[in-house]
């Protein structure tokens, strides 16, 4: 497995006005990120609006990313759900030869307790595939506690990392303090990237970085080098735009930023809607400052 460290970008799926996939824009986005210093890509994550893509569209988007990336950056594939057996079967029946790992979100909607979450990942671990656990309570309705994460990490070596997006930053620090050597933690919250990396994290799986890959990857590299003051200068420059892109949900905010840059159009599929006029104006003003 290629090492995953630094800035990983959760790619959006660009759409045209008729809501079909805009493959030219996807190509431009990939090239923008590779030239900007992004270190790996997440394919078919939440930010990709994977839930509203057909199976055929998902497969075509994956093939397009593979073709354009052409082995330049490591890739991680999002496969998750709230039917444990179905997720396990999907992992086992997907060609993963071009992917370093699976990013698999904890089960949503069902709201399993901590033992249920542990048993879910135990079953996924039986596939033998490299898996990144993804904790995002704001979407799943249930937090994966630090204790459960550490238990999973200790029991299943192929679950080698977590994308942690708990709103409670002390949970990140608890995992970093108590984890076994080699278990990786990526910030799943763009705004926490710098403090978490400085505390011993391995970087971020980011949304905002696909618009500002050079600045974001520079910030994370400075953090790895212990250059705290220089890293916080970049953090402070990007913190307002980072908050704005999530103000009305993801990915309508990041699509608006990318539309301002001329890379994609700000079109999302229902039940999501595009950024409001008020948010568009705020994003324009903040981008001028950057």
């Amino acid at each position: 497995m290629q090492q995953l460290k630094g800035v990983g970008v959760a790619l959006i799926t660009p759409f045209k006005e008729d809501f079909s996939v805009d493959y030219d824009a996807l190509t431009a986005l990939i090239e923008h990120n590779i030239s900007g210093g992004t270190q790996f890509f997440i394919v078919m994550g939440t930010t990709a609006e994977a839930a509203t893509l057909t199976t055929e569209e998902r497969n075509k988007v994956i093939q397009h990313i593979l073709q354009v990336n052409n082995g330049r950056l490591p890739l991680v594939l999002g496969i998750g759900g709230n039917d444990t057996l179905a997720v396990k079967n999907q992992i086992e029946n997907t060609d993963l030869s071009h992917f370093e790992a699976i990013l698999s979100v904890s089960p949503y909607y069902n709201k399993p307790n901590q033992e249920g979450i542990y048993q879910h990942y135990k079953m996924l671990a039986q596939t033998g595939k490299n898996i990144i656990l993804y904790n995002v309570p704001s979407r799943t309705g249930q937090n994966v506690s630090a204790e459960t994460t550490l238990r999973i990490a200790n029991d299943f070596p192929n679950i080698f990392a977590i994308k942690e997006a708990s709103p409670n930053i002390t949970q990140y620090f608890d995992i970093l303090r108590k984890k076994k050597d080699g278990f990786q933690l990526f910030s799943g919250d763009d705004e926490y990237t710098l403090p978490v990396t400085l505390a011993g994290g391995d970087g971020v799986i980011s949304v905002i970085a696909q618009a500002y890959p050079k600045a974001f990857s520079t910030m994370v590299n400075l953090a790895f080098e212990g250059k705290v003051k220089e890293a916080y200068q970049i953090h402070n420059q990007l913190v307002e735009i980072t908050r704005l892109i999530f103000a009305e949900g993801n990915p309508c905010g990041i699509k608006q930023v990318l539309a301002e840059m001329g890379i994609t159009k700000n079109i999302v599929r229902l039940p999501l809607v595009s950024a409001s006029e008020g948010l568009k104006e705020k994003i324009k003003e903040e981008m001028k400052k950057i």
Side-chain angles (χ1 to χ4, degrees):
M1 185 177 75
Q2 290 189 64
Q3 188 187 32
L4 301 173
K5 196 174 173 77
V7 175
V9 156
L11 289 166
I12 64 155
T13 303
F15 297 123
K16 299 177 182 177
E17 280 91 348
D18 64 359
F19 298 102
S20 64
V21 177
D22 188 339
Y23 290 100
D24 290 341
L26 184 55
T27 298
L29 181 64
I30 292 166
E31 295 298 346
H32 174 67
N33 274 270
I34 292 175
S35 63
T38 293
Q39 272 123 353
F40 60 99
F41 286 129
I42 309 298
V43 179
M44 288 297 131
T46 311
T47 306
E49 296 174 75
T52 58
L53 296 173
T54 66
T55 301
E56 183 184 4
E57 285 174 327
R58 280 198 294 272
N59 291 336
K60 282 184 74 175
V61 169
I62 290 167
Q63 288 306 312
H64 186 81
I65 293 168
L66 289 176
Q67 184 182 348
V68 176
N69 182 57
N70 195 24
R72 288 180 287 176
L73 295 189
L75 303 175
V76 173
L77 181 63
I79 299 180
N82 60 349
D83 177 346
T84 304
L85 199 56
V87 177
K88 179 175 182 275
N89 289 339
Q90 190 180 349
I91 292 171
E92 288 174 333
N93 293 301
T94 299
D95 177 9
L96 300 173
S97 56
H98 298 287
F99 296 93
E100 304 304 314
I102 294 294
L103 177 67
S104 197
V105 69
S106 66
Y108 43 81
Y109 192 73
N110 305 23
K111 294 187 80 169
N113 63 16
Q114 295 303 307
E115 183 61 28
I117 292 167
Y118 173 86
Q119 293 296 334
H120 172 83
Y121 282 104
K122 179 180 180 179
M123 183 165 275
L124 300 193
Q126 291 168 6
T127 64
K129 305 301 181 184
N130 296 322
I131 294 170
I132 301 171
L133 189 162
Y134 180 18
N135 179 37
V136 56
S138 63
R139 287 186 179 276
T140 64
Q142 191 74 304
N143 181 48
V144 182
S145 70
E147 291 75 20
T148 299
T149 295
L150 294 164
R151 185 182 170 204
I152 290 167
N154 289 331
D155 290 355
F156 313 117
N158 58 317
I159 301 181
F160 69 97
I162 182 170
K163 177 186 177 185
E164 179 59 79
S166 163
N168 181 0
I169 198 166
T170 60
Q171 182 161 307
Y172 298 65
F173 297 149
D174 286 345
I175 295 167
L176 288 169
R177 196 173 76 252
K178 298 175 183 177
K179 72 180 182 65
K180 67 177 184 180
D181 285 347
F183 185 75
Q184 294 180 270
L185 184 146
F186 296 99
S187 177
D189 185 316
D190 284 347
E191 193 172 336
Y192 289 173
T193 300
L194 183 52
V196 168
T197 304
L198 288 168
D202 292 275
V204 64
I205 292 175
S206 173
V207 177
I208 191 63
Q210 66 197 297
Y212 297 101
K214 193 169 184 182
F216 224 76
S217 57
T218 300
M219 179 187 76
V220 170
N221 288 332
L222 286 167
F224 287 145
E225 294 165 14
K227 295 178 179 174
V228 180
K229 188 178 176 183
E230 297 96 321
Y232 264 108
Q233 284 175 339
I234 299 173
H235 167 90
N236 291 335
Q237 189 182 27
L238 293 175
V239 73
E240 289 300 332
I241 194 71
T242 300
R243 290 176 182 174
L244 285 171
I245 67 163
F246 295 110
E248 294 180 1
N250 182 41
C252 79
I254 187 64
K255 283 192 167 183
Q256 183 58 39
V257 173
L258 292 167
E260 294 294 332
M261 292 179 165
I263 296 171
T264 67
K265 294 182 175 69
N266 182 16
I267 297 169
V268 292
R269 284 184 176 176
L270 287 169
L272 301 181
V273 292
S274 297
S276 66
E277 289 305 316
L279 182 58
K280 285 179 186 177
E281 286 308 310
K282 288 178 184 175
I283 284 173
K284 277 183 191 174
E285 287 308 307
E286 189 58 33
M287 287 180 73
K288 285 176 192 170
K289 295 177 193 172
I290 296 169

